[in-house]
Amino acid sequence: MLADPALEARAREISRELRCLVCRNQSIDDSDADLAHDLRVLVRERLKSGDSNEQTIGFVRARYGDFVLLRPPFAIGTALLWGGPLLVLLLGAFAVARLYRRRDVPVPPLSAEERQRLSAVLKEEGSR
């Protein structure tokens, strides 16, 4: 922790925006992994040396790539990441629509042979 509360608050803010590369589903602020600890120390060192929030994030991003950001920028490489949930939702809606459309198809009437077999089965069930 930094002695200056304002710098510590900035460090915590930045740490909440950076992904733990070990855990992958947590920020470095929430993670107990050694690498997350090292990144928290690095962030604090950069802030103590006078870097802005953007410069600090830029330094970490340059070293580890966009994957280290919990909210990566929209780019060609991240288009599926940003559009994936919408794509899954649209595919699900399409599948449900097809399912309901398939239910509305009229059932053709039974043939004479099928009606006789059905009557025989129902008589058999009724006699039990």
Side-chain angles (χ1 to χ4, degrees):
M1 290 195 47
L2 296 170
D4 182 1
L7 274 181
E8 181 61 27
R10 285 178 51 206
R12 297 294 301 266
E13 180 183 330
I14 293 170
S15 294
R16 282 188 222 104
E17 294 182 28
L18 299 174
R19 179 188 320 272
C20 173
L21 298 171
V22 176
C23 307
R24 297 185 186 229
N25 62 344
Q26 290 181 318
S27 69
I28 63 170
D29 195 48
D30 297 329
S31 176
D32 292 330
D34 290 337
L35 180 59
H37 175 266
D38 293 344
L39 286 173
R40 288 191 301 266
V41 169
L42 176 69
V43 165
R44 283 167 174 78
E45 286 174 358
R46 299 295 296 190
L47 291 176
K48 281 195 311 192
S49 71
D51 282 1
S52 69
N53 290 13
E54 291 78 23
Q55 289 172 322
T56 303
I57 291 172
F59 179 81
V60 175
R61 183 178 174 194
R63 186 176 273 185
Y64 296 102
D66 284 340
F67 185 75
V68 76
L69 302 175
L70 279 173
R71 291 179 290 166
F74 184 80
I76 297 298
T78 61
L80 186 60
L81 174 68
W82 286 102
L86 179 62
L87 182 64
V88 168
L89 183 66
L90 290 175
L91 288 174
F94 178 73
V96 168
R98 279 193 66 170
L99 177 69
Y100 279 111
R101 190 175 303 148
R102 202 177 290 164
R103 286 185 176 181
D104 293 340
V105 175
V107 178
L110 297 175
S111 67
E113 180 185 328
E114 291 170 331
R115 278 184 289 211
Q116 286 176 344
R117 286 185 17 215
L118 180 61
S119 293
V121 168
L122 289 175
K123 283 180 188 175
E124 197 176 292
E125 288 292 321
S127 65
R128 287 186 187 181

